[in-house]
Amino acid sequence: MTESTYHTLDAAGIRSLISGVPVVAGRLGGTPDLWRVHEVSDGNLNNVFIVGGPTGEVCLKQSLPYVRVDPTWKMPLDRTYFESEWLRAVRPLVGGLTTEFLHFDPVLHVLIVESLSGHTVYRSALMRGVDWPDVAPRIGTFIAHATFGTSLLALPFEDVFAARRDFARNVTLTRITLDLVFDHPYRDHPRNNWDEPELTPLVLDIRSSAPTLLAVENLRRRFLSQPQALLHGDLHTGSIMTKADDTRVIDGEFALYGPIGFDCGMFVGNLVLHYFATPDATARSATIRDIAAFWTCFHAQFLTLWNRDEAPPAGTLRPLAYGPAAHTAQLAFLEEIEADTMGFAAAEVIRRIIGYAHTADFDVIADPRQRGACRAGALAFAYYILDHTAQIRTLGDFLRHLGEQEKVGL
Amino acid sequence: MTESTYHTLDAAGIRSLISGVPVVAGRLGGTPDLWRVHEVSDGNLNNVFIVGGPTGEVCLKQSLPYVRVDPTWKMPLDRTYFESEWLRAVRPLVGGLTTEFLHFDPVLHVLIVESLSGHTVYRSALMRGVDWPDVAPRIGTFIAHATFGTSLLALPFEDVFAARRDFARNVTLTRITLDLVFDHPYRDHPRNNWDEPELTPLVLDIRSSAPTLLAVENLRRRFLSQPQALLHGDLHTGSIMTKADDTRVIDGEFALYGPIGFDCGMFVGNLVLHYFATPDATARSATIRDIAAFWTCFHAQFLTLWNRDEAPPAGTLRPLAYGPAAHTAQLAFLEEIEADTMGFAAAEVIRRIIGYAHTADFDVIADPRQRGACRAGALAFAYYILDHTAQIRTLGDFLRHLGEQEKVGL
Ligand SMILES: Nc1ncnc2c1ncn2[C@@H]1O[C@H](COP(=O)(O)OP(=O)(O)OP(=O)(O)O)[C@@H](O)[C@H]1O
Ligand SMILES: Nc1ncnc2c1ncn2[C@@H]1O[C@H](COP(=O)(O)OP(=O)(O)OP(=O)(O)O)[C@@H](O)[C@H]1O
C-alpha cells in the first residue's frame, strides 16, 4: 500500500512500495518479510538501497528534498525523474552498458533499476590500482551510441525537440553544473575550497588569465547552447560501476541536451585527476593509454553509426552531400567534439581541485606535501590546456603534454 | 458570446468575439453593429481582417486548419499561439518596432493586435521603387534588441530554457522551414518549381556541388542546434510593414530559438532578391547601401546592449573576463553571426527562386527573358556564396561581390 504523498522511505516503506509493483516484487521473489534492505548511499544527493529477496536483487534510489550530505541545501525532488527519463532513452541504444530500468514512482520520486553485483565504482577500482584496459573504450562506445542515437543525425527533429523540451526542465541540476563548474572556481566564492596553500598563487593566475577565462566563457556558452545530443551530464569515474569484463554507466540525473564533448570531457578530466593522483609511472602510462583508447573508440563508433549502410540514419540531418568532401565534414564535426572534450576536461579538473566538490582520487597519497604537489600538477596542467586552446589542437597534443607531466609530484 | 469550439470566423463571428473582449471593444468604440470588418489576407497561411469602429481599429488574425492558399495542405491551428507568444516576448524589448499585442483566444486561435495605418508591406514598397534608407537599419535595431534580450547574454538560463521549451513546440512551421529552405531545393521534389528553362543547368550544378551541399548541411544543423535567441523565423520583406518614418515587424508565427544569423540572413536574402529584380543601377546601389546599413546598425546595437554600463546584463553568460581580449571575443561572436547571415541569405535566395514559395519581387519585370536573366543572376550569386564560404568571409566581401553583379540581367 503506497501512501499518496512524498515521504522519505525506510526499510518498511520500501517493502510496502515494492509489494505494489509486480515487476519488481516478482524479481525479488518470496514475500515482503523476506526482503533485505541495505543502504548503500555514498553520493552527495540521494538515498540508495539494495533490496534483496529469495530470487533476485534490485537497486532503489530516492530523491530527498535536500542534498544528502548537506541537508541545509534544499533541492526539488525531480532528479530521479530525469534519471529515469535518461535511462529509458539511452538504455535501448547502449545495450548492456547501463542498468535495466524497472520502475519509477513519480509521487515518492523513487527509481528502481537492476542491481549490479560484483561491480565496483570505477573511481574506487582505479584508486585500488586495478588496470582494466577495456573500461575506457567501453565508455567511448557508450557515449558514441547514447549521443548519436539521441541526436538529429539519428532522429527526426520533432523527436529531438520533444526530448530537449523534457530535459530542459532539469534546471536545478543544470544550475549546479553551471555554478560549480563554470562560475565559482573563477572568482571568490564561499563554496570554493582547497587545503594546500601552494595552490593559491595558481588559482590567482587562473583568475587573471584572460585567455583562460575566455576559454571558460566559451565552454559555458557551448554547454548551454549546443544541444547536440542527450548527455549523461555527470559522467565522472564515480558514475561508472564496473568489473574487468562488464561496465555500466549509472546516475544520469544531470541529463540534459548539450555538446557531446561535455560527456567526453568529464570522463577524460576524471582520468586526468587519477593520473595526477597516481605516484607511479606505470599506472600513469596506463591512464594515458586509457584516455587514448577511449577517444579512438568513441571516434570510430560514432563514425560507424553515421555511415551505416544497412540502416541509414533516419535523422533530419541526413546527408545532402556524399563522397570525400562529406567525409571531411564528418571529421570536422568530430574535431569540434575533440576540442570540446579537452576544454571540458580541463574545466572539470579545475573545479574538482579548487571548487566545492572534490574527488577522492588524491586520498591515496598519504604525505600531505606530495598530495599538494600532485594537486598543483593537475591544476597547472588544466590551466595550461585552457590557456593554450589555440596550440593544443588534438587529443594527441593533450596527451603528449600530459605525458610530459610524468614527473610532477612523483 | 464566444462559442467554445474552433470555427472559422466570418464578420458576424468577429463582432461576437470582440464584444466579449473589453480591451479590444473599448478601442473600437460604439456598439458591434457599427464595426466594419474588412479582410486583408494576402499571405499563404491565415485569415487576416481589419476591424474598425468609431474610435479605433484593430487587426485580427485567425489560423485555419489548412494552408490558406492550398486547402488540401492540412495544418494544425497553433500558429497564432506562437505568434502571440513571440509578440509578447519581443514587444517589450523592441519599443515601437512591432505591433502592440491586444488579445489571444486559444480556442478560436485568434490573435488581435494594433492595426497599422498608412503602412505598406515593405516588399510592395520596394517593388514600387521607394527609397527609404531608414528601414533597413531599423530592422538591424529590431533584431539586435529582440535577440540580445531573449538570449543567455541578457537572461538567466532558467528563463531561456523555459522559453526554448515553449517555442520548441512550434514544430509544424519549423518543419516547413526545414523542408522548403534546407531540403527540397537540393533534390528533385514536386514542390520545387521554376518557369525559366535557363535556370535548370544552374540547379543541377548546385545539386552536384559538394561544397554547396555541405554549406547547406552546416546551415541546417546550425538552424536546429544553435538556440542562441528567440528568432522571428520568417523575417522576409513581406513580414515588415512600414512607411518612411515608422517600421514594424509582423507575423512572428515561425518563431523559434535558433541562430541569430538566421533572422539577419532572411532579411538580407530578400534584399538580395530585390536587388536582382531591379533593372536599375541606382536602386541596386541603394539596396547595397541598405544591406550595409542594416548590418552596421545590428552590429553596433548588439555590442551596445552587451556593454551597457548602467544596467549590466543579468544573463547567465555575463562576462568572466574583461579588457581587450574580452572585446575580441565579442567581435568573434558577431563574426559567427556574420557568417551565418551570409549563408542563410544565400539559402533564402535559392529557395525563393527554385523552391515552393517564390516572392513577388521579380513580377516588376515585364519581359520574360529579362526576368529569367535576373532570376538566373540571383541564383548564380547565391550559389557562388555557398560555394565559396571560405573566401567570402565578411559582409563587405559579400557586398563587393554583389556589386560586381550590377550588370546581370540589366
Ligand atoms: N544499480 C546499482 N547496483 C548496485 N549498486 C548501486 C547501483 N546504483 C548505485 N549503486 C551504489 O550506490 C551509490 C550511489 O549511487 P548514485 O551515484 O546513483 O547516487 P547519487 O546520490 O546520485 O550520487 P551523486 O551524488 O554522485 O550524484 C553508488 O556509488 C554505488 O555504490
Ligand atoms: N497589424 C496590421 N495592421 C494592418 N494590416 C496588417 C497587420 N498585420 C497584417 N496586416 C496585413 O495582412 C497581411 C497578412 O498578414 P500576415 O503576413 O501576418 O499573414 P500570414 O497569413 O501569416 O502571412 P504569411 O503566409 O506570409 O505568413 C499583411 O501582408 C498585411 O497586408
Side-chain angles (χ1 to χ4, degrees):
Chain A
M1 179 205 65
T2 310
E3 288 177 46
S4 65
T5 54
Y6 177 85
H7 56 284
T8 304
L9 294 179
D10 55 12
I14 288 172
R15 286 192 195 90
S16 153
L17 168 68
I18 291 182
S19 63
V21 184
V23 61
V24 179
R27 183 171 289 228
L28 299 181
T31 48
D33 54 304
L34 298 174
W35 299 340
R36 302 170 312 277
V37 175
H38 166 55
E39 181 164 0
V40 292
S41 322
D42 68 357
N44 294 318
L45 294 178
N46 307 293
N47 280 348
V48 183
F49 301 90
I50 302 296
V51 186
T55 58
E57 246 182 36
V58 298
C59 175
L60 181 150
K61 183 163 175 178
Q62 183 177 38
S63 311
L64 305 170
Y66 47 79
V67 172
R68 194 179 70 87
V69 297
D70 177 0
T72 64
W73 186 343
K74 303 301 172 207
M75 192 165 282
L77 293 157
D78 55 12
R79 51 202 188 273
T80 41
Y81 168 78
F82 294 108
E83 180 164 345
S84 146
E85 289 291 281
W86 167 81
L87 192 52
R88 286 195 255 198
V90 304
R91 169 82 189 181
L93 302 169
V94 301
L97 291 169
T98 181
T99 54
E100 193 187 341
F101 170 85
L102 296 173
H103 182 69
F104 176 66
D105 185 307
V107 173
L108 294 168
H109 300 273
V110 161
L111 169 64
I112 305 180
V113 300
E114 149 189 30
S115 166
L116 303 172
S117 63
H119 296 70
T120 42
V121 172
Y122 187 38
R123 190 188 310 282
S124 317
L126 289 171
M127 289 169 64
R128 277 202 330 264
V130 305
D131 182 15
W132 288 336
D134 295 335
V135 178
R138 274 186 212 121
I139 301 302
T141 301
F142 172 86
I143 299 180
H145 285 261
T147 57
F148 185 89
T150 55
S151 78
L152 290 159
L153 297 170
L155 298 176
F157 92 91
E158 288 88 346
D159 295 358
V160 171
F161 275 32
R164 281 186 190 164
R165 292 190 62 231
D166 191 14
F167 291 97
R169 291 163 49 212
N170 198 4
V171 288
T172 308
L173 297 194
T174 300
R175 168 57 76 186
I176 290 182
T177 302
L178 264 176
D179 287 348
L180 300 191
V181 180
F182 298 109
D183 185 19
H184 299 174
Y186 302 97
R187 59 192 180 90
D188 220 9
H189 190 281
R191 287 222 163 97
N192 294 324
N193 67 92
W194 58 92
D195 290 334
E196 298 83 355
E198 65 261 47
L199 298 185
T200 307
L202 256 174
V203 174
L204 298 179
D205 278 0
I206 290 173
R207 290 186 187 160
S208 59
S209 155
T212 303
L213 296 175
L214 291 173
V216 175
E217 281 187 24
N218 185 46
L219 293 165
R220 184 182 58 176
R221 191 181 63 240
R222 292 181 66 79
F223 175 67
L224 291 175
S225 308
Q226 304 277 336
Q228 294 171 338
L230 179 60
L231 307 184
H232 177 280
D234 192 30
L235 221 176
H236 57 80
T237 48
S239 294
I240 297 163
M241 295 192 70
T242 192
K243 29 191 185 181
D245 61 356
D246 186 64
T247 299
R248 312 293 189 101
V249 175
I250 63 165
D251 198 14
E253 65 196 340
F254 280 80
L256 81 166
Y257 264 74
I260 296 169
F262 184 77
D263 272 1
C264 298
M266 282 272 133
F267 180 64
V268 169
N270 279 271
L271 289 183
V272 169
L273 287 164
H274 171 63
Y275 176 95
F276 282 98
T278 313
D280 163 346
T282 316
R284 285 193 170 187
S285 317
T287 303
I288 290 190
R289 177 208 63 205
D290 283 348
I291 297 175
F294 157 74
W295 178 256
T296 306
C297 187
F298 163 77
H299 196 275
Q301 301 263 345
F302 199 93
L303 275 181
T304 302
L305 289 167
W306 208 342
N307 295 307
R308 257 186 317 216
D309 281 338
E310 340 78 81
T316 293
L317 297 189
R318 77 185 167 294
L320 298 169
Y322 293 90
H327 186 64
T328 308
Q330 291 188 333
L331 295 181
F333 184 76
L334 284 156
E335 274 163 29
E336 205 183 294
I337 299 177
E338 191 170 356
D340 279 349
T341 297
M342 297 185 283
F344 288 120
E348 169 71 357
V349 168
I350 291 175
R351 73 103 169 193
R352 292 298 193 181
I353 293 190
I354 66 172
Y356 173 70
H358 295 199
T359 60
D361 304 84
F362 293 92
D363 298 351
V364 297
I365 310 172
D367 172 21
R369 282 209 43 223
Q370 200 194 5
R371 198 162 57 231
C374 288
R375 283 211 168 103
L379 191 60
F381 171 76
Y383 173 28
Y384 184 90
I385 296 300
L386 292 180
D387 208 32
H388 294 79
T389 10
Q391 288 84 346
I392 305 281
R393 300 191 68 90
T394 67
L395 207 75
D397 300 338
F398 180 98
L399 291 179
R400 260 187 301 284
H401 188 67
L402 186 60
E404 286 160 15
Q405 314 306 304
E406 222 174 282
K407 298 288 166 288
V408 172
L410 288 184
Chain B
M1 180 204 64
T2 309
E3 288 177 46
S4 64
T5 55
Y6 176 84
H7 55 284
T8 305
L9 293 178
D10 56 12
I14 288 172
R15 286 192 195 90
S16 153
L17 168 68
I18 292 181
S19 63
V21 184
V23 61
V24 179
R27 184 171 288 227
L28 299 181
T31 46
D33 54 303
L34 298 174
W35 299 341
R36 301 171 311 279
V37 175
H38 167 56
E39 180 165 0
V40 293
S41 323
D42 69 356
N44 294 319
L45 295 179
N46 308 293
N47 279 348
V48 184
F49 301 89
I50 302 295
V51 187
T55 58
E57 243 180 38
V58 299
C59 175
L60 181 148
K61 183 164 175 177
Q62 182 176 37
S63 311
L64 304 171
Y66 47 79
V67 172
R68 192 180 70 88
V69 296
D70 177 1
T72 64
W73 186 342
K74 302 302 170 205
M75 191 165 283
L77 293 157
D78 54 13
R79 49 201 190 273
T80 41
Y81 168 78
F82 294 108
E83 179 163 346
S84 147
E85 288 292 282
W86 166 81
L87 193 52
R88 287 195 254 198
V90 304
R91 168 83 190 181
L93 301 170
V94 301
L97 292 170
T98 182
T99 53
E100 193 186 342
F101 170 85
L102 296 174
H103 182 69
F104 176 66
D105 185 306
V107 172
L108 294 169
H109 300 273
V110 160
L111 168 65
I112 306 180
V113 301
E114 149 190 29
S115 166
L116 303 172
S117 63
H119 296 69
T120 42
V121 172
Y122 187 38
R123 190 188 310 281
S124 317
L126 289 171
M127 288 169 65
R128 275 201 332 262
V130 304
D131 182 14
W132 289 336
D134 295 335
V135 178
R138 275 187 211 120
I139 301 302
T141 302
F142 171 86
I143 299 180
H145 284 260
T147 58
F148 185 89
T150 55
S151 78
L152 290 159
L153 297 169
L155 299 175
F157 93 91
E158 288 88 347
D159 294 359
V160 171
F161 275 32
R164 281 186 191 165
R165 291 189 65 230
D166 191 14
F167 290 98
R169 290 163 48 211
N170 198 5
V171 288
T172 308
L173 297 194
T174 300
R175 168 57 74 185
I176 290 182
T177 302
L178 265 175
D179 287 347
L180 299 191
V181 180
F182 298 109
D183 185 18
H184 298 173
Y186 301 97
R187 58 190 181 91
D188 220 10
H189 190 281
R191 286 221 163 98
N192 294 324
N193 66 93
W194 58 93
D195 290 334
E196 298 82 357
E198 65 262 47
L199 299 185
T200 307
L202 256 174
V203 173
L204 298 179
D205 278 1
I206 289 173
R207 290 186 187 162
S208 58
S209 154
T212 304
L213 297 174
L214 291 172
V216 175
E217 280 186 26
N218 184 48
L219 292 165
R220 184 183 58 174
R221 192 181 62 240
R222 293 181 66 78
F223 175 67
L224 292 174
S225 307
Q226 304 277 335
Q228 295 171 337
L230 180 60
L231 307 184
H232 178 280
D234 192 30
L235 221 175
H236 57 79
T237 48
S239 294
I240 297 163
M241 295 192 69
T242 192
K243 27 191 185 181
D245 61 357
D246 186 64
T247 299
R248 313 294 188 101
V249 175
I250 64 165
D251 198 14
E253 65 195 341
F254 280 80
L256 81 165
Y257 264 75
I260 295 170
F262 184 78
D263 271 1
C264 297
M266 282 271 133
F267 180 64
V268 169
N270 279 272
L271 289 183
V272 169
L273 287 164
H274 170 64
Y275 176 95
F276 282 98
T278 313
D280 164 346
T282 317
R284 285 192 169 189
S285 318
T287 303
I288 290 189
R289 177 207 65 206
D290 283 347
I291 297 175
F294 157 75
W295 179 255
T296 307
C297 188
F298 163 76
H299 196 275
Q301 300 264 346
F302 199 93
L303 275 181
T304 303
L305 290 166
W306 208 342
N307 295 307
R308 259 184 315 213
D309 281 340
E310 338 79 82
T316 293
L317 297 189
R318 77 185 166 293
L320 298 169
Y322 293 90
H327 186 64
T328 308
Q330 291 188 332
L331 295 181
F333 184 75
L334 284 156
E335 272 162 30
E336 205 182 295
I337 298 177
E338 192 170 355
D340 280 348
T341 297
M342 296 185 283
F344 289 120
E348 170 71 358
V349 168
I350 290 174
R351 73 102 168 195
R352 292 298 193 180
I353 293 189
I354 65 170
Y356 174 69
H358 295 200
T359 60
D361 303 83
F362 293 92
D363 299 349
V364 297
I365 309 172
D367 173 20
R369 283 210 41 223
Q370 199 192 5
R371 198 162 59 230
C374 288
R375 285 211 167 103
L379 191 60
F381 172 77
Y383 173 28
Y384 184 89
I385 296 300
L386 293 180
D387 208 33
H388 294 79
T389 12
Q391 289 84 344
I392 306 281
R393 300 191 68 89
T394 68
L395 207 76
D397 300 336
F398 179 99
L399 291 179
R400 258 187 302 285
H401 188 67
L402 186 60
E404 286 159 15
Q405 312 307 305
E406 221 172 283
K407 298 288 166 289
V408 173
L410 287 183

